[in-house]
Amino acid sequence: MLKKLTPYLNSLPALILISLIILFPIGYTFYISITNMNIFNWFEFNVVGLVNYERALFVLDSGFFRAAFITLIWTGLNMVLQLLIAFIIASLLNHRDIQLKGLYKTLLLIPWAIPGYVSILLWRTGMFNTQFGLLNQWLRAFNVAPVQWLSTEWLAFTSMLVVNLWLALPFMIMIMDGALQSIDRSYYEALKLDSNSIIKKARFVTIPLMKPAITPAVIITLFTTFKQFDVVYLMILQPGQRTGADIQTIITYAYENAFITNNYGYSSAISVIIFIILIVFVLATNRDLRSEKND
Amino acid sequence: MSRKILMISYLLLFTSMLYACNSSNNSESEFIIWHDKEDIVANLIDESLSTAFPDVEFKLVRRESLTETLKLVGNNPSTAPDMYMFAHDKVGLFAEIGILAPITDFISREALDDYYPFTLEAATYQETLYQLPLYFETLLFMYNRDRLNAEDVPQTTDDLLVYMQQNTDARRYAFVEQHSNAYYSAGWIHGFGGRLLDQNGMPMLDDEKTIEALDYHLQFLDYMPVGQAEYATVNTLFYERQANSIIGGPWMVPTARERGIDLGFAPMPIVNETGLPLSPYAGIQGLHVLKVAVDTPEKKALIQDILLHLTDPTLSIELALASGSAPAQVSAYSDPLIQENELVMAMRNAAENAIPMPNVPEMDILWVTANDFLVNVNLQGKDLREAAQEAQNRTLELIDAME
């Protein structure tokens, strides 16, 4: 009996911690979502049922669907570019002729070491600022008119994409680098008998053998990119510092249409709805990745 | 070995849980004040209180997210502070949440006779005073004396436009401001007789006077930086001598002087159409008492003594001289050092026309919707009337969602 219980007892501290850190906030958010917690009932709120969910559906208007569409494009583009660029960089880092690999790897990890908040504001003010940003200083040096990088939709979207890639690539490069190093060289040597093509090496050896290692990283990145808040909010949506680009993701849209009301019941209902959308999205993606793996 | 690690894990987990349950912020002899101010302000308050009450240990704790933290722990005696220092505009929010004790529970109205009435009105929510004012701040018209002579400072908004047309070129702006920020735009709207919120807490974004003000203001944008015209960019343009004049806060003054700018202060330009000056918002900084702090008669007596001590203008004068703010007490302006201080006196004069920020909870929403409205009009070029109507409707919907 004790032998059977031992694994559970061993993992109990970790399970309690996980419950406190992850499950409790989710459960508590759901509880708040069925109460009337707002500034008029801040500490003495009551359960009111699904009233907040009825009201939350009003947030799912045309603005929300536009934000959802932008979020999908944002997530898709980020994933494709991250995988592609990280694969190229990781492959170059694993080339046998390359020198100072350790130095390059350390340099590539720098964006990860800087707090995201600081990085984003540095990009916003140091690179994209219309008056003082480095990009416009370069343009002026070539007598080209300065560009308002964050004021129009397409330019702002592209600028934010660059910042997000800068922030996210170290993680993907590190995972891919590890996955590449785990591939046995004998597979390449076996393929050499048939062909020496780089594309064939990638298609028949590298990518299939990397897939199991990078799938969890892809899922984590999908999750974080889909619910991205900081890059979009800090770059173009800060109160009093908006730049004119009309871009919202579902999280920033929900924030601007619910959280500022100080109505936590209502805001929590919106959070739960977004949480469900996210879970569905991730489950669907996970299923696709698994079916590809089985194929 | 693994059994030992398991035991240590259990021990750590339960110790941390017990600690979390019992952690206490306050001890009997401590008096905790949260604030979001610069060190010089906190140190002066600490020094003044510690000298007056040597038996009490004052702890002034700087909190970056002061208002958000207070929302969460404001009613928890073990984690909430005894007082906090902040601008008056959150008084309505915290009064509704129910964490503030009225100041008049401790000191009489007569003890506040020396205060400028507008400072007390600003801190009053639903006829109850929740803040003891220390000093106030508002926006000022500042200029670089090396670039603009005192006699050439524009007196009216039409003069300002002409000055901008004649003096703005590829290298330098004649005048800059955060044109798409509601805190700054409010001055223009007030100058046309409009308001962001009326006296009953109703938004006035689609009011004719608001529309008129923003329509008139649009022509100024041709001579100001577009796109990113936020705090850092606009202030840096002035600090770097790429802008001759600016509407900015007193917090800019120390940096401008450090950079060697010969700073001048002028009255706000008068709107030609209405004869009213641009009238920005004023923020009144002061101390608020938390209900949970008043747990014993001795504590109540101590809070009463502290508040009475702070009604003396000495500390307000010291704060004004150190930070360039304006004391809330009328008698402070009899002090020769205050009278000689150009910045403090400019602030006091500007406050004659300034309008205290509304302190109702609805302002949290209005800051967001009014900013979006300004961006839509100023940066995205949307039709002013349509944008005003859209902003008004959205504000009303969000106010409705507060309950």
Side-chain angles (χ1 to χ4, degrees):
Chain A
M1 183 66 182
L2 187 68
K3 204 174 177 182
K4 273 187 179 174
L5 280 176
T6 306
Y8 295 102
L9 284 172
N10 283 345
S11 42
L12 194 60
L15 286 174
I16 292 173
L17 271 179
I18 289 169
S19 303
L20 283 175
I21 295 167
I22 298 170
L23 296 181
F24 175 74
I26 294 171
Y28 193 66
T29 304
F30 177 74
Y31 167 63
I32 295 294
S33 75
I34 55 168
T35 69
N36 62 347
M37 186 186 180
N38 57 46
I39 60 164
F40 307 105
N41 309 287
W42 194 256
F43 297 117
E44 289 166 2
F45 45 86
N46 303 307
V47 173
V48 292
L50 299 175
V51 174
N52 290 320
Y53 285 90
E54 278 175 37
R55 299 174 74 183
L57 292 175
F58 284 107
V59 169
L60 308 185
D61 56 8
S62 58
F64 182 86
F65 289 115
R66 182 174 181 267
F69 178 69
I70 291 173
T71 308
L72 283 175
I73 304 268
W74 167 259
T75 311
L77 267 176
N78 263 294
M79 281 318 301
V80 170
L81 289 171
Q82 275 182 45
L83 288 171
L84 194 68
I85 297 169
F87 180 71
I88 293 168
I89 295 176
S91 301
L92 288 172
L93 284 172
N94 277 280
H95 196 281
R96 63 186 165 202
D97 295 335
I98 200 162
Q99 302 292 313
L100 302 170
K101 283 180 192 174
L103 177 69
Y104 298 141
K105 284 181 189 176
T106 311
L107 289 175
L108 283 166
L109 280 176
I110 285 176
W112 217 17
I114 304 171
Y117 180 82
V118 176
S119 297
I120 296 163
L121 293 184
L122 278 175
W123 273 93
R124 180 190 153 103
T125 51
M127 298 297 283
F128 297 124
N129 186 284
T130 319
Q131 302 292 325
F132 305 106
L134 190 62
L135 296 178
N136 277 352
Q137 300 280 5
W138 284 341
L139 290 178
R140 283 195 190 98
F142 291 103
N143 285 326
V144 177
V147 174
Q148 292 178 42
W149 298 99
L150 302 176
S151 297
T152 57
E153 277 72 31
W154 283 110
L155 267 178
F157 188 89
T158 311
S159 305
M160 290 190 296
L161 195 65
V162 169
V163 175
N164 199 48
L165 286 173
W166 192 80
L167 287 166
L169 274 172
F171 174 68
M172 201 54 89
I173 292 170
M174 198 181 72
I175 297 290
M176 287 207 176
D177 182 44
L180 281 172
Q181 284 179 23
S182 69
I183 298 172
D184 195 325
R185 311 299 303 173
S186 60
Y187 289 111
Y188 294 111
E189 279 155 24
L191 186 73
K192 233 182 211 177
L193 298 172
D194 182 48
S195 162
N196 208 16
S197 153
I198 294 173
I199 294 170
K200 277 192 175 173
K201 275 184 192 171
R203 189 177 161 195
F204 295 115
V205 178
T206 314
I207 293 172
L209 290 175
M210 278 173 75
K211 253 188 183 173
I214 64 166
T215 302
V218 171
I219 292 169
I220 291 168
T221 311
L222 263 177
F223 219 129
T224 49
T225 315
F226 193 86
K227 65 182 179 70
Q228 194 94 51
F229 179 80
D230 52 359
V231 173
V232 181
Y233 189 76
L234 292 174
M235 290 281 281
I236 60 170
L237 296 176
Q238 286 185 77
Q241 301 187 28
R242 294 188 67 148
T243 56
D246 185 17
I247 298 174
Q248 297 271 7
T249 61
I250 53 171
I251 303 287
T252 60
Y253 188 78
Y255 178 80
E256 293 214 336
N257 288 280
F259 289 77
I260 58 165
T261 61
N262 280 315
N263 186 336
Y264 276 31
Y266 174 57
S267 309
S268 299
I270 289 174
S271 301
V272 171
I273 291 174
I274 291 172
F275 176 71
I276 292 167
I277 294 172
L278 261 171
I279 293 291
V280 170
F281 178 74
V282 172
L283 284 177
T285 316
N286 206 2
R287 202 181 58 182
D288 286 350
L289 286 169
R290 276 187 190 170
S291 63
E292 271 179 42
K293 191 178 162 186
N294 292 336
D295 293 344
Chain B
M1 181 66 183
S2 62
R3 195 172 288 256
K4 274 185 185 171
I5 292 172
L6 183 66
M7 289 308 291
I8 292 168
S9 305
Y10 273 118
L11 202 66
L12 279 175
L13 181 68
F14 290 112
T15 314
S16 58
M17 284 170 81
L18 283 173
Y19 180 77
C21 293
N22 287 317
S23 66
S24 171
N25 205 4
N26 301 358
S27 74
E28 287 297 311
S29 61
E30 275 183 355
F31 196 94
I32 296 174
I33 302 174
W34 285 2
H35 68 94
D36 68 334
K37 304 288 169 269
E38 56 269 41
D39 287 346
I40 193 163
V41 171
N43 292 342
L44 282 170
I45 295 171
D46 192 5
E47 206 178 291
S48 170
L49 292 176
S50 299
T51 311
F53 304 93
D55 297 335
V56 183
E57 190 187 345
F58 289 95
K59 275 194 176 173
L60 278 97
V61 183
R62 187 180 162 82
R63 291 270 175 187
E64 288 300 335
S65 316
L66 192 149
T67 55
E68 290 306 309
T69 315
L70 272 177
K71 277 187 208 170
L72 300 175
V73 303
N75 74 334
N76 185 342
S78 63
T79 46
D82 297 299
M83 286 185 183
Y84 74 90
M85 184 175 173
F86 200 73
H88 73 279
D89 60 318
K90 295 287 178 188
V91 154
L93 174 70
F94 290 126
E96 287 291 356
I97 287 176
I99 60 171
L100 292 184
I103 296 297
T104 43
D105 282 2
F106 306 95
I107 54 174
S108 66
R109 277 273 171 187
E110 290 70 47
L112 304 166
D113 282 349
D114 189 26
Y115 283 81
Y116 277 106
F118 79 89
T119 61
L120 300 175
E121 281 160 23
T124 300
Y125 178 70
Q126 293 182 348
E127 297 175 15
T128 307
L129 178 68
Y130 288 107
Q131 184 206 56
L132 182 75
L134 282 177
Y135 59 85
F136 56 87
E137 299 163 328
T138 186
L139 297 175
L140 299 165
F141 188 96
M142 294 184 263
Y143 60 97
N144 183 340
R145 285 191 172 118
D146 294 335
R147 305 271 181 217
L148 176 61
N149 296 321
E151 57 272 21
D152 297 331
V153 172
Q155 302 296 310
T156 67
T157 50
D158 283 356
D159 291 347
L160 178 63
L161 183 62
V162 172
Y163 172 69
M164 290 166 77
Q165 287 164 340
Q166 290 173 349
N167 294 280
T168 300
D169 56 37
R171 291 186 308 115
R172 187 169 297 123
Y173 294 98
F175 168 78
V176 288
E177 62 169 348
Q178 293 177 57
H179 51 68
S180 299
N181 180 331
Y183 182 70
Y184 289 78
S185 271
W188 290 84
I189 294 168
H190 297 154
F192 275 79
R195 293 282 183 278
L196 291 179
L197 270 181
D198 73 7
Q199 287 172 331
N200 303 316
M202 278 294 288
M204 294 181 71
L205 298 179
D206 63 346
D207 185 77
E208 274 307 315
K209 287 167 183 167
T210 307
I211 292 171
E212 205 182 329
L214 296 186
D215 189 32
Y216 174 75
H217 183 254
L218 275 174
Q219 57 193 324
F220 289 76
L221 297 183
D222 295 339
Y223 308 98
M224 282 196 271
V226 285
Q228 284 167 274
E230 89 287 12
Y231 183 86
T233 306
V234 167
N235 292 359
T236 307
L237 283 169
F238 187 70
Y239 296 145
E240 295 293 322
R241 296 173 168 79
Q242 290 179 37
N244 298 352
S245 58
I246 188 169
I247 288 180
W251 45 87
M252 287 183 65
V253 173
T255 312
R257 284 181 173 155
E258 268 170 34
R259 305 276 180 100
I261 291 174
D262 187 5
L263 210 52
F265 304 98
M268 285 287 176
I270 287 166
V271 177
N272 294 72
E273 275 195 50
T274 61
L276 298 169
L278 301 185
S279 310
Y281 275 139
I284 289 89
Q285 302 285 345
L287 285 157
H288 309 71
V289 181
L290 276 94
K291 269 185 189 168
V292 290
V294 197
D295 50 358
T296 59
E298 293 77 28
K299 193 70 172 288
K300 187 176 181 184
L302 175 64
I303 293 171
Q304 184 176 11
D305 291 344
I306 290 171
L307 292 176
L308 278 173
H309 169 73
L310 293 172
T311 54
D312 184 277
T314 312
L315 176 63
S316 300
I317 292 170
E318 287 172 2
L319 289 170
L321 296 173
S323 68
S325 54
Q329 297 98 324
V330 178
S331 61
Y333 295 88
S334 314
D335 189 289
L337 289 174
I338 291 286
Q339 286 176 351
E340 285 166 17
N341 192 306
E342 191 190 4
L343 171 60
V344 176
M345 293 311 287
M347 189 80 65
R348 195 199 72 158
N349 295 337
E352 283 173 12
N353 297 312
I355 291 170
M357 280 185 284
N359 63 19
V360 293
E362 287 83 358
M363 267 315 277
D364 275 9
I365 287 168
L366 218 79
W367 287 127
V368 174
T369 54
N371 278 330
D372 287 356
F373 172 36
L374 291 167
V375 167
N376 288 341
V377 173
N378 291 342
L379 303 181
Q380 294 182 347
K382 288 189 180 167
D383 179 76
L384 181 52
R385 281 189 185 278
E386 276 176 31
Q389 194 57 57
E390 195 183 306
Q392 177 77 1
N393 293 343
R394 186 176 164 223
T395 310
L396 290 171
E397 277 170 25
L398 288 170
I399 288 175
D400 189 45
M402 287 174 75
E403 283 192 64

